[in-house]
Amino acid sequence: VPSVTRKDCTMKFLQQRSQKGSDKPPAEQSNPALADQNVTPTGNATFPKLLLLQSPDRHIFCTVRPAWTWVMQSVCQQVDPQQQAKISLVSTHQDLPSGKLASLTTTAAEGMSSSPSSGIDTSTSSRGRTRRNKTKSNFFLNTLRIDVVTNCLPNSHRNWSLQAFHGTSEAFDGLEDKDEFVRTLKRCRCEHLELSPPSVLINWDVSKTECLNLVGNSMPSLLSNDQQSSKRVAVLKEPMGKSGAGVFFVHDAEEIHEIIEQHRKKAVEEPGFLDDLISQKGRIPSWVLQAEVRPCLLVRDRRKFHIRTYIVCVENIMLECEGDQEDEEIMKLFIYNRHEIRIANGAVPDEDTGDRDRNVHIMDASAERKLLREEPELLKRNLRGKVELFAAQTFAKHLRSDIERRIALSAAALEEENDDAYKSMVLPHKFVVAGLDLMVTEDERIYLLEVNVNPSAPSPETVSPDFQSFLLGFQKDLMELVTTRGESSTNFWSTEEILQRKR
């Protein structure tokens, strides 16, 4: 992707719309496939600010990734149909009203483009293939998609109208994969800030000689640690590992190469594995050799923990802007103010021998989950405010240019895709959720370990009733945030508000 500024991307996007003679946002453009149904696919022009659970004349349709189903079912059960909007949980995004309309309009558009009078055949054109590829990429699991159907609009000739709020934004695409996260930090020129532990990328098929030359005689370490420590340990992360799987504690280059070589052989032996990986990712991801965060802050008689905090990016580029659009922000970032902690099962030994017991040093799915505010040792340190400030500075300042560039380029691509579909697409308001895994040192320095885009949820039987209530509240707060475009939220703070505290 070419390196361009947000202003360049945004102005190019707006200029393309202007050249096509459209002074309205995509939501207000004519949609032949929907004309007879008096439907407005998206947009804020007709609607007052949407208070999701306080409007009985609305019907909300939602779909979530499977792990969040039990949470969403609880949300639906708590709705009072006399005073609140009805909420229906559907299985897939194709079952949403927007999904059904998209199926109809796509069929109509393909019929129009392949007719003899059109002179266009999207089944063979490169733009048609691109459109289908983009649509296919949109099928991946998202934390949440919401369609809101409103009846009896005041002062309107429409019988009903549809708004779509989908967690399909590409804003964090450069942060999800472990190797891309490292590359993004380098591209944003913030390695010297040590927002994340120093890391080295290693190819999936690295030779022993290449590995020795790349790693050298010492493991990466935090700048604050003793560079001459003979017991230095680093963390080797498998490209596709999740929930603690694929994490290895290593001591030298030979051990690193042995692990990578074992995985390389398995990948080559499995039929179609590498081809599928290239098809999904466009590359074969690299391994990440990351410095160990030490000495880390411990709780409960020397148990390690990491903090999980949630960040949401709400896109603004598709909305109608008043005044000078050039000065309008194309996104808003929000931090959830109720932070999780995940505590390891075992205690860290008093003496560091260089060995790493996974039960002690990895917070996997079996780790205890609770809220940061429930841990007295951490409350005394005011970690909540420090975590929120760190997340706000990292995303709203240091990574902002990369995030905005992705949003603007994605919006321009979506505009072209909609043109190919004769402006028949249901264009959603887009957002994305990510869970940040953070670790804290004894001197309260915070490090970002990973960014989990579209995070999963634990099974209800693995967490306490209090934590189940927390997840239920999070889902409600998220729904309120994204459907009001950030105008209303109970427990989300905008990064602007958080940064202003420091001043």
Side-chain angles (χ1 to χ4, degrees), residues 175-192:
L175 303 172
E176 179 174 17
D177 292 343
K178 297 177 179 64
D179 58 338
E180 281 298 290
F181 174 51
V182 174
R183 293 187 182 99
T184 298
L185 291 177
K186 291 182 179 179
R187 185 166 54 249
C188 293
R189 299 180 180 179
C190 50
E191 288 181 290
H192 66 287

Side-chain angles (χ1 to χ4, degrees), residues 292-430:
E292 184 183 32
V293 177
R294 57 181 297 270
C296 59
L297 187 62
L298 305 175
V299 295
R300 296 193 193 174
D301 298 324
R302 300 186 60 79
R303 290 168 70 184
K304 292 180 72 171
F305 71 95
H306 77 237
I307 298 172
R308 162 65 64 89
T309 190
Y310 294 100
I311 184 168
V312 178
C313 177
V314 178
E315 290 192 13
N316 197 42
I317 195 170
M318 300 302 292
L319 301 181
E320 185 174 14
C321 304
E322 298 180 0
D324 187 0
Q325 292 185 341
E326 181 178 348
D327 296 331
E328 185 72 18
E329 295 293 342
I330 66 173
M331 70 164 186
K332 296 178 181 179
L333 292 168
F334 299 88
I335 309 293
Y336 199 50
N337 64 14
R338 305 178 71 190
H339 311 283
E340 302 176 25
I341 57 173
R342 302 182 182 183
I343 305 173
N345 295 315
V348 176
D350 293 331
E351 183 180 354
D352 185 6
T353 63
D355 296 329
R356 295 292 183 266
D357 183 344
R358 297 180 66 86
N359 197 48
V360 171
H361 292 274
I362 292 183
M363 282 63 75
D364 57 15
S366 66
E368 179 185 356
R369 299 174 185 239
K370 61 184 307 182
L371 298 184
L372 186 150
R373 67 186 184 188
E374 297 172 347
E375 194 64 32
E377 297 177 58
L378 302 181
L379 274 180
K380 297 177 183 178
R381 295 175 177 267
N382 188 30
L383 275 186
R384 171 185 160 180
K386 296 173 183 176
V387 163
E388 291 169 0
L389 180 59
F390 172 83
Q393 289 177 331
T394 299
F395 281 78
K397 294 176 63 176
H398 305 307
L399 301 178
R400 189 180 191 94
S401 60
D402 185 80
I403 295 171
E404 290 183 330
R405 177 174 60 88
R406 292 179 185 278
I407 292 174
L409 292 174
S410 174
L414 183 61
E415 179 79 354
E416 180 180 336
E417 188 176 356
N418 192 34
D419 287 345
D420 286 350
Y422 295 91
K423 298 194 181 299
S424 63
M425 294 177 62
V426 178
L427 300 177
H429 298 293
K430 295 165 70 175

Side-chain angles (χ1 to χ4, degrees), residues 202-208 210 257 260-261 264 284 287:
I202 306 176
N203 290 338
W204 70 281
D205 59 350
V206 65
S207 68
K208 186 173 183 178
E210 291 171 337
H257 179 259
I260 295 178
E261 180 63 13
R264 184 197 68 81
I284 300 178
W287 288 73

